[in-house]
Each structure stands twice: as C-alpha cells, then as structure tokens.
Amino acid sequence: MKNLTLFTVLILGLLLTNCEDPIDVPSPFEESTIAVDAWLTNTAAVQTIVLNESVDYFQGGEPATISNASVEVCRNGNEACFTFTESSPGLYQWTPPTGETLGSVGDAFSLTIELADQTLSAGTVLNRTATLDSISLTFEEESIFNDEGIYAEI
C-alpha cells in the first residue's frame, strides 16, 4: 500500500508540474519606418489618413506620430486633388464640401506624402464592394464555440 501511495504521489507530481522552455525569437527590426493608415471611401464624410512611425513588435508601446507632412490625394491623374490638413498630431483629414465626394467606383487615386527629408507615393483604384442580396438572423444556443444569442448570416 505504501508503494502504491508513493507511486500515485510521484505520478501526480509529474502531471502537475510544468516545463517552461523560453523561446527567443530574433527580431530584424532595426529602425522605424513610416506607417500610413488610410481608409478612403466615396461617401460624403470626413476622410482620414493617419501617419505614424512603426515600432518593434516585441517592444510594444504607442507609435510616434508624424507631424508637419504635406498629404494630398489626386483623382484620375490630376483631374482633382484634395489636400488633407493636420487636425491633430499625425491625423490628417479632408472634409468634403456639401454634396461632394473623393470620387466614384473605377476612379484611380494617387497619394503623395511629403516630409522634410523624403516623398512617399502610392496609387490605387476605388473598387466596388460586394453586393449583399440578403441577411438572415438565426438564434444559436450556447455551445463550446459560441455564446447563446442571435447571429447574422449572409
């Protein structure tokens, strides 16, 4: 009986202890670069572009904002150009006049950002979004994967 108790204690001891192997992942991050966050639409709403400096993933923290940049978006070459003004550090906005938008589906856009020591540019086309023909709501009971509630299905 003593051996069985000792054996049980040893097995439980082995099962309840953890092994921890630290993993050191090398990070090739050397210096920050400019991060541009822009989601522009064809709606008559304020359009926003955010400029930050990138940060090392493993260091975390808030990225530094980039101020005093010249930010401009042009439609179809130079058909129309929109100057974004800095509303707060790193936050550049353009407010459309009443009834105007940046453009429509199929228009080509170019983004130009001028800083003190460099100029960045990019281009894209405003594409159509997916057409939704129906949305249905379904009640799902609680399961291992979902909480109980009403879920939308497309």
Side-chain angles (χ1 to χ4, degrees):
M1 189 65 160
K2 261 186 182 180
N3 288 341
L4 181 62
T5 304
L6 182 60
F7 181 71
T8 304
V9 169
L10 284 174
I11 294 296
L12 284 175
L14 288 173
L15 291 175
L16 296 177
T17 58
N18 292 349
C19 294
E20 186 176 310
D21 292 331
I23 299 173
D24 185 28
V25 178
S27 174
F29 187 85
E30 293 177 11
E31 67 178 84
S32 65
T33 59
I34 297 170
V36 179
D37 182 12
W39 185 267
L40 306 176
T41 67
N42 61 346
T43 61
V46 175
Q47 306 294 315
T48 303
I49 298 174
V50 180
L51 301 180
N52 292 316
E53 290 184 14
S54 61
V55 294
D56 186 353
Y57 178 80
F58 295 107
Q59 296 301 317
E62 289 293 317
T65 58
I66 297 175
S67 291
N68 302 318
S70 171
V71 179
E72 185 176 66
V73 172
C74 291
R75 178 180 65 221
N76 297 327
N78 287 329
E79 175 185 289
C81 290
F82 310 95
T83 301
F84 284 63
T85 56
E86 189 170 14
S87 59
S88 62
L91 185 70
Y92 297 83
Q93 295 183 320
W94 175 75
T95 304
T98 305
E100 266 190 56
T101 64
L102 275 177
S104 56
V105 173
D107 287 342
F109 291 91
S110 62
L111 168 66
T112 304
I113 301 170
E114 293 181 1
L115 301 165
D117 58 344
Q118 62 184 321
T119 299
L120 305 169
S121 61
T124 191
V125 174
L126 182 62
N127 294 316
R128 183 174 309 282
T129 59
T131 303
L132 299 178
D133 61 353
S134 64
I135 297 178
S136 60
L137 300 176
T138 306
F139 177 78
E140 297 283 336
E141 293 185 13
E142 184 175 0
S143 68
I144 296 173
F145 304 108
N146 294 325
D147 293 332
E148 181 178 295
I150 298 174
Y151 293 89
E153 293 180 354
I154 297 176

